[in-house]
Amino acid sequence: MAGIGGPVTGLLAIDCSAGACSVAVFDGATVLAAAHTAMQRGHAEALMPMVERVMAEAGLAWDRLDAVAATVGPGSFTGVRIGLAAARGIALAAGLPTVPVTSLEAVAEAAEPGGEPLLVILESKRRDLYGQWFDPAGTALGAPRAAPPEALWADRPSGTAGARVAGDAAAGFLAAPPDPAAALRPAGASGPDARSVAAVALRRLAAAGAGPLTPLYLRPPDVTPPPAAGR
């Protein structure tokens, strides 16, 4: 097992944060095996068989893993919980460090390159969108947040007249932009995927960036548990 902050041999990456379930196994920068299945429901039933299948296809023994990475959100409350529970369980059983990656970072990683700033926006099932700005090199500009499209556009870097837009909310944003005069173009990458999660995680690990898998929800859930009896 490689030391964190040095070369990484084996990395397992998981994403269940949006409308898909995906798993990837890397050996250094090489993808040994990966799987991606679009789904709105059924992540809990699909994830662990997918992990086992991808690990078998990769031919990498569990004791060859150095870390487990997973998307921490924002995204589907249920999907985020399922992905994080599986990643934490695997890491705990194998004594491995974990690497948190946001779903917005994963989309930014997979976006088509360009000279303009990048706005990553994901559906929240409300009028608000999950969004974050990145510079042309992929460095985050400010924190992710949930806000209406016009507020996310107002967060753009000073002097920005054009931008690339990625994420599963990009099509709607481009069809009805907050500023019709802005020069906007799609940048692909409709949603997070375990391959891009792994790419972000590998850089983070090289910089000693392991950390806890703490969910990033940005807003409260649509459904809350009823109050306890007697209250």
Side-chain angles (χ1 to χ4, degrees):
M1 181 180 295
I4 301 306
V8 175
T9 300
L11 175 71
L12 170 67
I14 292 171
D15 173 67
C16 292
S17 63
C21 185
S22 62
V23 175
V25 176
F26 275 55
D27 182 4
T30 302
V31 184
L32 296 181
H36 180 109
T37 301
M39 60 177 64
Q40 296 299 322
R41 297 179 178 84
H43 296 76
E45 295 78 16
L47 179 56
M48 287 311 298
M50 184 180 288
V51 169
E52 293 171 357
R53 184 173 72 253
V54 171
M55 284 292 293
E57 290 175 1
L60 193 70
W62 291 95
D63 62 4
R64 288 284 309 282
L65 289 175
D66 288 294
V68 180
T71 40
V72 297
S76 160
F77 285 88
T78 301
V80 168
R81 288 197 301 270
I82 290 167
L84 293 187
R88 287 168 178 160
I90 293 168
L92 181 63
L96 298 173
T98 56
V99 190
V101 177
T102 73
S103 50
L104 298 161
E105 289 175 320
V107 173
E109 177 68 24
E112 297 171 1
E116 311 97 330
L118 172 69
L119 173 61
V120 176
I121 43 177
L122 299 174
E123 293 288 352
S124 71
K125 309 304 182 184
R126 295 182 179 181
R127 183 173 180 274
D128 286 357
L129 303 174
Y130 300 129
Q132 188 175 19
W133 282 92
F134 296 81
D135 71 14
T139 302
L141 302 172
R145 71 180 185 124
E150 57 270 19
L152 292 173
W153 177 246
D155 288 342
R156 66 191 182 279
S158 177
T160 297
R164 294 169 294 140
V165 186
D168 60 12
F173 187 92
L174 291 167
D179 179 2
L184 304 176
R185 67 180 180 90
S190 62
D193 177 79
R195 291 174 186 248
S196 53
V197 172
V200 175
L202 286 168
R203 290 198 302 272
R204 195 153 284 164
L205 278 170
L213 297 178
T214 303
L216 176 67
Y217 291 134
L218 295 185
R219 63 172 178 79
D222 295 322
V223 178
T224 55
R231 289 190 178 182

